[in-house]
Structure formats: structure tokens, C-alpha cells
């Protein structure tokens, strides 16, 4: 590594050295050094205002620092909340920063609240607000007042920073520096769009009240969780993060609040995850439902209903949507950004929205089936849409597609897509039977049975002793781990147990699961040096738990949770050295963690080895 590269690397905190805060409209990442270095506004999928994480020099940030020799840093969430507390420790002083975004009863502009309190000693604190609007491409003006500063870009939402600390210009930025004694605090409130405004000298009192209300909001929400198992702390933290990914305004659930964070340092797989994938959203809804949190399913279902109404033909859905339900912008690269530790290109938009990914119907129908069983019965209006989706799958399940891994080298016939098409039809049949709803049941049964037979005939490889990733192929895909989880095959079935052993030999290392070893894919994710895919690792734990290997599953669960960051959060991937890689935090991982936790609890209660889905 060159000296210049090493210097650049030190400018970028590890991806895992962050917490996330949000208000169910957008989210921000806060590093352990007290810097907000990633923030899009006014929505999850809007341009960045702070993006130091993607360009340490010019991306923009909101820093609070203790002007002393820092000897330590600590970061934690207030118990059962999404309120983040960061402590900066020096020899004689200790500073605490509370970061949160209030969730208002009525829709309003987003606010980031930073309440700074000196815990010990006396010291000087410096704050610098340095926004870079429009993915750090837009210029802005600054208007300074006695207790606030307005940042007005040529395009996009404006910002107002309000504080009792004395503000001054710092080039095109605004800074404040003040001396705090032990027990003394000061608030910095950053408002997006039309500011509400605060009376002079009242902002600190408002911030303290907002902090109390935000704590109450999150504790009331998580108190509805029914999970009481061994992994309660990890499950509750995952649920709180998953909740942050849902838009309160539309019901859409994004895959992750970031874009451009690399799967491999210096690599080109730097995607934009700030959109609502049907797959990821459905897994999140299903995961929350498994621990008794069902309200998110209602909002998501309403959002999906609107997508069905707008479909080009009955039952035909896109793979992903914007928060508002449109198609994402065409994929583009932000060549002016350095990229995280030089990982370029930095992409926005996502070309996968034009792909055919047949599996999305299975995840969606599984989530709707769970909602019907545990939350509220399927209405006739919803059933008409479910029937359209099922009819579409029954006619199209044999088509090659780009699959869960969104390959860009052409369509293939993937095992995972087949299994999830089976799941879609199976769940529709179950809802129809339970609610006595009109449906072409014989036609659907024939389609379901044909898919089941096709998988066993064309995706089973006798010489390998395993189900393979592509029809007629001879290589593995870790997505096969879903087969017993959706009831396609019993977790103790001889074919499945043989497949699991081959997966362990080929794809599992130290309890972590690589995606695949399939040739002809357009990525390097099958190589031995590729990062492991974190949600597949949790699926592996769940497969072991359901297959009667509770002890092994429990040990792997402990090791996996030990690989989370200091707050219990996960990104998309884990590098070979344990580094968190990819977009952060990722909803799919949190949902898989909940599934593993629930299955381990059920295994301890003697329910392992039993399929959740008896044949219709």
C-alpha cells in the first residue's frame, strides 16, 4: 500500500464505526468521532447533504469535536431507542453528544437534533456544519443571524441551523466554538426545508423535551415485540433499525439508507440501495411479524396495492421502486466523488429496476400470508390483487430471469427463483383455503406441483449430491438455504441434508457463507477471497436450528452476533478479516437475524425439524 493510499484510508472511518438515526422519512449516519458523515434529504432516496463517507475532502459533514487530546470514544444507543449517545474522552474532560431525529405526530420537515453535554471537567467544544448539497455538486449561500444560519442551495431543500452557541462564517460553512463546564449543555438543531423556528434562547429547552419524547416513541414501539428468547437484545436492536427503514409517509421500506459503499475495498460493486425492493421489503415485514410487530405490514401492503394498481399488466411488478412508488432514476456515476477509500465508481440510481426477478413474488406472498394468519384477514380488495399476482406467476414461472443476485450477464433459470415461485402459489392457495376465497385452485395446484417437480428433476445433481444454483448446472448457490425455510422441502429430508453438507464444504468458512461458486456470473462473489453475504449466514443458522442441530446453530449464532459492530448493526457483507462492507445498515440482514433468533427459540422449545407448511 502506498503512503498516499494509507493516508487516504485514515481519512475514512470504518463502515462499521457508525450508528444510524432517523425519523421514518430519512436517516443519517453518525461516526464514533461525533461526525455526521452521511445524510440524504428530504427523503431516503434524495441527493446527499452530507457525504464525507464517500469523499472525505468535499462530501460535506456536520462535526462536533472536543478541543482536547482524545483518549477514547464510546458510542451506544439509549436502551430500546434509536437515540444515539457518543462520548468523547480526554484526560480531564468528557463530552457526550445525543443525536436523534424526532418522529413528529404530524408530517413535518426532518430535524437532526444534536444535544451536547459536558459530563466531566471544563473544555472547549467546536461545531462545524459543512453541507454539500446535491451529491456535493450544488453551490449554496449562507445567511447568518444571531442564533441561526440558513444554508440556501440553488436547487433543493434549504437548511437552518439553530443554536444558542455563537455562530460565525467558516468559508461557505458555519462554525461555533464555546466553553462548557461540567453539567452544562447546548443544542444544535438542523432543520430541512421550511424551518419552524425557535424563540431566542429556547432551543435548548425544546431539544431536551424532544429528546424525552423521542425516547418514549421508540420504547412504546418496541414494547409491542413478543420475542422473549435468548437473543432478545440483538433482536430488539435489529427490529429498531428495520423500523427506521420504512417511510412513514408512503409505507415503502428501503433496502439500506446508503449508496456507493463497496462490497470490496477498491472494487466496482458500489450500488445504490436507497430504494424499495419488493424482496427486501417483504423479508423485513416478515421478520418483524415473527416477533409480533405487525403494523409495518399494513403500511407496506397499502403501498404494494398501489404498485399493483399501476402495473403495466395485471400482476406484473417491478423489482424495485422509489419511496414514492416510481421507477428509480437511470443508473449514473458520480465521478467527482473520491469514493469510500477510493472505491469507484460511486453509483446512484439502480439499473436492476428493469430486470426480471421472479423470486419477488414468493417473498411478497409469504409476507401477505403471515399478515393474513397473524395480523388481519385478507380483504376482498387485497385478494383480487393477490389472485392477479398468482395468475401471473402461474403463467411465467418457467422464464429465465436475473435472480436474487441481479446478474447483469443475461437471464438464467435459477433455483432460488423457482423455489420462490412455488412459494408464491403455495401461499395463495393457503389464503384461499383459510378464508374460503374464490380462486382457480386446480390451476394453481397444477402450477405449484409442476414447479416442485421441475426443481427435483432439473436442479438436483446426483454426482454432487445437492440442489444446484442453475437448471442443469453443477455449482452451488447459497440462496438454496431458503428451501427448508419456506417449506419447499423438510429440513430433515435426505436430499436437503445432503445439500446442506455440500454447502458447508464449498461455501462456508468459519461459519460465514459466500454467495455462490457458479461459473459464468458477472461478479467475483464466488471467489475464495470474496466477502461473505451476511444474511445467508443467518439463513444457515436457521437451517441448522430447524434441522435439529441446535447446538451447532447456537454456537454459530453467537459467533455471528460477535461480528456486528459496536452497536449490534450489520452491513451487507463481511470481509475475510471481519470488516463490515457494503451498504449499511442493511434491512435484509436484520430480517434474517430475527428469523434465526426465532427459530433457535422454537428449537429450544422442541419444534425443530417440523415444516411450517404442511401440504395443501
Amino acid at each position: 500500500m502506498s503512503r498516499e493510499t494509507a493516508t487516504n484510508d485514515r481519512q475514512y472511518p470504518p463502515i462499521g464505526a457508525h450508528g444510524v438515526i432517523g425519523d421514518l422519512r430519512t436517516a443519517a449516519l453518525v461516526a464514533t468521532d461525533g461526525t455526521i458523515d452521511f445524510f440524504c434529504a428530504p427523503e431516503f432516496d434524495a441527493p446527499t447533504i452530507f457525504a464525507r463517507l464517500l469523499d472525505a475532502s468535499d462530501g460535506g459533514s456536520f462535526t462536533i469535536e472536543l478541543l482536547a487530546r482524545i483518549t477514547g470514544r464510546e458510542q451506544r444507543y439509549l436502551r430500546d431507542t434509536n437515540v444515539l449517545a457518543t462520548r468523547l474522552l480526554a484526560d480531564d474532560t468528557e463530552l457526550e453528544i445525543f443525536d436523534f431525529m424526532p418522529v413528529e405526530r404530524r408530517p413535518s420537515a426532518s430535524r437532526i437534533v444534536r444535544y451536547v453535554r459536558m459530563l466531566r471537567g471544563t473544555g472547549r467544544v467546536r461545531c462545524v456544519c459543512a453541507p454539500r448539497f446535491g451529491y456535493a455538486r450544488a453551490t449554496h449561500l449562507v445567511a447568518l443571524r444571531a442564533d441561526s444560519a440558513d444554508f440556501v442551495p440553488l436547487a433543493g431543500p434549504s437548511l437552518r441551523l439553530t443554536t444558542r452557541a455563537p455562530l460565525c462564517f467558516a468559508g461557505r460553512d458555519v462554525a461555533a466554538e464555546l466553553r462548557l463546564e461540567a453539567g452544562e449543555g447546548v443544542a444544535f438543531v438542523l432543520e430541512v426545508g421550511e424551518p419552524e423556528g425557535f424563540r431566542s434562547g429556547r432551543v435548548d429547552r425544546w431539544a431536551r423535551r424532544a429528546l424525552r419524547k423521542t425516547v418514549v416513541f421508540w420504547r412504546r414501539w418496541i414494547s409491542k415485540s413478543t420475542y422473549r428468547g435468548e437473543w432478545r437484545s440483538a433482536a430488539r436492536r435489529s427490529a429498531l433499525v428495520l423500523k427506521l427503514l420504512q417511510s412513514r409517509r408512503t409505507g415503502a421500506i428501503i433496502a439500506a439508507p446508503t449508496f456507493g459503499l463497496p462490497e470490496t475495498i477498491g472494487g466496482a460493486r458500489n450500488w445504490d440501495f436507497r430504494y424499495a425492493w419488493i424482496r427486501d421489503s417483504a423479508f423485513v415485514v416478515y421478520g418483524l411479524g415473527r416477533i409480533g410487530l405487525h403494523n409495518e405490514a399494513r403500511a407496506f401492503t397499502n403501498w404494494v396495492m398501489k404498485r399493483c394498481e399501476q402495473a403495466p399488466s395485471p400482476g406484473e411488478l417491478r423489482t424495485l421502486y422509489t419511496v414514492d412508488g416510481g421507477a428509480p432514476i437511470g443508473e449514473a456515476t458520480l465521478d467527482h466523488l473520491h469514493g469510500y477509500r477510493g472505491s469507484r465508481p460511486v453509483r446512484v440510481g439502480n439499473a436492476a429496476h428493469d430486470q426480471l426477478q421472479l423470486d419477488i413474488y414468493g417473498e411478497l406472498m409469504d409476507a401477505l400470508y403471515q399478515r393474513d394468519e397473524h395480523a388481519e384477514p385478507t380483504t376482498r380488495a387485497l385478494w383480487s390483487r393477490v389472485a392477479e399476482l398468482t395468475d401471473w406467476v402461474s403463467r411465467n414461472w418457467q422464464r429465465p430471469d436475473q435472480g436474487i443476485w441481479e446478474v447483469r450477464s443475461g437471464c438464467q433459470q435459477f433455483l432460488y427463483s423457482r423455489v420462490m415461485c412455488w412459494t408464491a402459489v403455495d401461499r395463495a392457495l393457503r389464503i384461499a383455503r383459510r378464508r374460503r376465497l374464490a380462486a382457480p385452485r386446480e390451476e394453481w395446484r397444477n402450477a405449484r406441483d409442476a414447479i416442485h417437480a421441475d426443481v427435483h428433476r432439473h436442479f438436483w445433481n446426483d454426482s454432487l449430491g445437492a440442489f444446484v444454483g442453475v437448471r442443469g448446472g453443477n455449482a452451488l448457490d447459497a440462496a438454496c438455504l431458503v428451501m427448508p425455510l419456506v417449506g419447499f422441502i423438510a429440513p430433515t429430508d435426505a436430499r436437503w441434508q445432503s445439500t446442506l453438507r455440500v454447502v458447508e464444504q464449498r461455501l462456508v468458512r468459519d461459519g460465514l457463507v459466500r454467495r455462490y461458486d457458479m461459473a459464468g456470473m458477472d461478479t467475483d462473489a464466488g471467489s475464495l477471497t470474496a466477502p461473505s453475504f451476511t444474511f445467508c449466514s443467518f439463513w444457515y443458522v436457521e437451517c441448522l436450528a430447524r434441522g435439529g442441530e441446535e447446538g451447532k446453530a447456537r454456537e454459530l449464532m453467537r459467533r455471528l452476533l460477535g461480528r456486528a459492530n459496536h452497536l449490534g448493526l450489520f452491513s451487507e457483507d463481511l470481509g475475510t478479516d471481519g470488516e463490515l462492507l457494503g451498504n449499511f445498515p442493511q434491512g435484509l440482514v436484520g430480517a434474517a437475524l430475527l428469523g434465526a433468533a426465532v427459530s433457535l427459540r422454537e428449537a429450544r422449545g422442541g419444534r425443530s425439524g417440523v415444516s411450517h407448511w404442511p401440504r395443501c
Side-chain angles (χ1 to χ4, degrees), residues 502-569:
V502 178
V503 167
E504 289 174 333
Q505 294 168 15
R506 298 278 191 92
L507 299 180
V508 179
R509 177 178 293 180
D510 195 26
L512 301 177
V513 183
R514 291 184 294 112
R515 276 193 263 190
Y516 44 68
D517 63 0
M518 294 185 289
M521 303 292 276
D522 58 348
T523 78
D524 60 355
S527 71
L528 294 176
T529 58
S532 61
F533 217 57
T534 314
F535 85 82
C536 287
S537 300
F538 282 111
W539 279 3
Y540 176 45
V541 169
E542 188 170 359
C543 286
L544 291 172
R546 293 197 186 193
E549 299 181 74
E550 180 193 347
K552 185 176 179 180
R554 196 169 299 280
E555 175 58 26
L556 285 176
M557 183 72 165
R558 290 193 191 98
R559 287 160 59 185
L560 259 181
L561 293 180
R563 294 177 182 272
N565 80 343
H566 58 290
L567 298 168
L569 310 184

Side-chain angles (χ1 to χ4, degrees), residues 16 18-20 29 77 82 84 237-238 241 563-571 580 584-586 589:
H18 290 86
V20 61
L29 298 191
Y77 282 108
N82 282 314
L84 195 63
R237 175 49 52 202
S238 286
V241 171
R563 294 177 182 272
N565 80 343
H566 58 290
L567 298 168
L569 310 184
F570 285 92
S571 62
L580 271 63
F584 172 89
Q586 196 197 35
V589 178

Side-chain angles (χ1 to χ4, degrees), residues 83-104:
V83 175
L84 195 63
T86 304
R87 288 189 180 183
L88 305 177
L89 290 75
D91 292 333
D92 302 316
T93 52
E94 186 174 339
L95 186 74
E96 187 166 45
I97 308 166
F98 292 103
D99 285 304
F100 61 98
M101 297 181 69
V103 182
E104 305 291 353

